[in-house]
Amino acid sequence: MTITNIAEESVRIPVGDVVLNADVATPGEPHGVVLFAHGSGSGRHSPRNRYVAAQLQAAGLVTVLADLLTEEEEERDAVTAELRFDIGLLAERVAALTDWAGTDPRTGNLAVGLFGASTGAAAALVAAARRPAAVRSVVSRGGRPDLAGDALAEVRQPTLLIVGGDDSVVIDLNRWAERHLAGEVRLEIVPGASHLFAEPGALEQVARLATDWFGTHL
C-alpha cells in the first residue's frame, strides 16, 4: 500500500548551542521514523536523499532531513572541508536529533532508524552505538562506515550497507566495516552503480533496499 496523505513542514531543532534546520514529512498512521545523516558537504536538500525519503514516506515512515551543520558552519566547511570529516561532531548531532525524535509529538512513539550517506554513515553508526535503546536500525548508502572506528564493535542494531558495484575502494571499506560490526549486518552491492548511484535504476534499487530493511526492522 502506498501512502499519499503526507504532511510536510520545516522546523528548527535546538541541538546543544546551535539550532539545525530540518524538513519533517509525516504520512498518515506512520509506523516508524527515519533520520537522515548527510555527509561530505551535503545537506537536507540532497536530491538523492530526498528521493529515498519520498519512497520511505510512501511506505508509511516519517522522514527527518536535517542539516547537521549550521549555515555559518557550512560556509566555513565549503572553504576548509574540515567539518564534513568531523565524525564526532556529526555523530553528536545525529544523537541529539534522535533524542529530539523521542520527545516530538509527531515521532515520540515511533521506532527510530538512521539513514547515513558518505561520511554521514559513520556519524549514524556512532550515534547508534551511543543510543542503543533509541535507534532500532541503520542503513548506509555509499557510506564510509570505516570512519566510525572502534564504535563499530558497539553497534548491535541491524545494519544494511549499500555500495555501488563500480565503487571499488568503498566496497573494500564496507567489507572491512562489515567484519567489525557487532550486530546483524548485510552488505548489498548494486551492480554497475558508481559512488553517487547516478546510473539509471541505481537509486531506485537503493530506495527499495532501504524501504525493505526499515520495513522489517522498524
Side-chain angles (χ1 to χ4, degrees):
M1 180 180 67
T2 299
I3 296 174
T4 55
N5 55 326
I6 298 168
E8 301 185 32
E9 54 188 311
S10 296
V11 299
R12 288 173 59 79
I13 302 173
V15 172
D17 57 354
V18 302
V19 177
L20 302 180
N21 293 313
D23 296 330
V24 181
T26 308
E29 299 182 8
H31 54 84
V33 54
V34 177
L35 310 179
F36 280 71
H38 316 285
S40 298
S42 183
R44 74 188 192 282
H45 299 299
S46 161
R48 289 175 294 278
N49 283 347
R50 284 193 169 270
Y51 175 82
V52 173
Q55 307 312 305
L56 296 176
Q57 295 156 22
L61 296 168
V62 178
T63 62
V64 180
L65 292 102
D67 291 332
L68 297 184
L69 301 178
T70 65
E71 292 179 3
E72 293 78 13
E73 289 170 338
E74 286 177 355
E75 290 175 4
R76 191 169 106 219
D77 185 65
V79 176
T80 66
E82 61 182 298
L83 296 178
R84 68 189 66 179
F85 289 102
D86 189 340
I87 304 304
L89 172 67
L90 299 177
E92 177 183 315
R93 292 185 177 176
V94 175
L97 290 171
T98 301
D99 296 339
W100 168 85
T103 60
D104 187 82
R106 288 160 292 205
T107 56
N109 62 340
L110 301 176
V112 175
L114 302 179
F115 183 98
S118 190
T119 53
L125 287 164
V126 174
R130 294 179 181 175
R131 298 292 187 273
V135 176
R136 295 279 293 276
S137 184
V138 181
V139 173
S140 162
R141 171 185 64 80
R144 290 291 309 276
D146 56 295
L147 294 177
D150 293 342
L152 293 174
E154 301 172 27
V155 178
R156 289 173 171 76
Q157 295 93 332
T159 299
L160 174 64
L161 307 173
I162 307 172
V163 189
D166 292 346
D167 200 5
S168 56
V169 173
V170 175
I171 288 175
D172 290 341
L173 295 172
N174 275 257
R175 282 181 171 146
W176 179 89
E178 181 185 21
R179 294 193 298 271
H180 289 80
L181 281 161
E184 175 189 352
V185 59
R186 190 167 95 213
L187 174 62
E188 286 281 354
I189 298 176
V190 178
S194 60
H195 184 63
L196 296 179
F197 298 90
E199 296 72 21
L203 199 57
E204 288 84 346
Q205 191 164 344
V206 170
R208 281 195 302 272
L209 289 166
T211 300
D212 290 346
W213 191 261
F214 286 130
T216 298
H217 296 290
L218 294 185

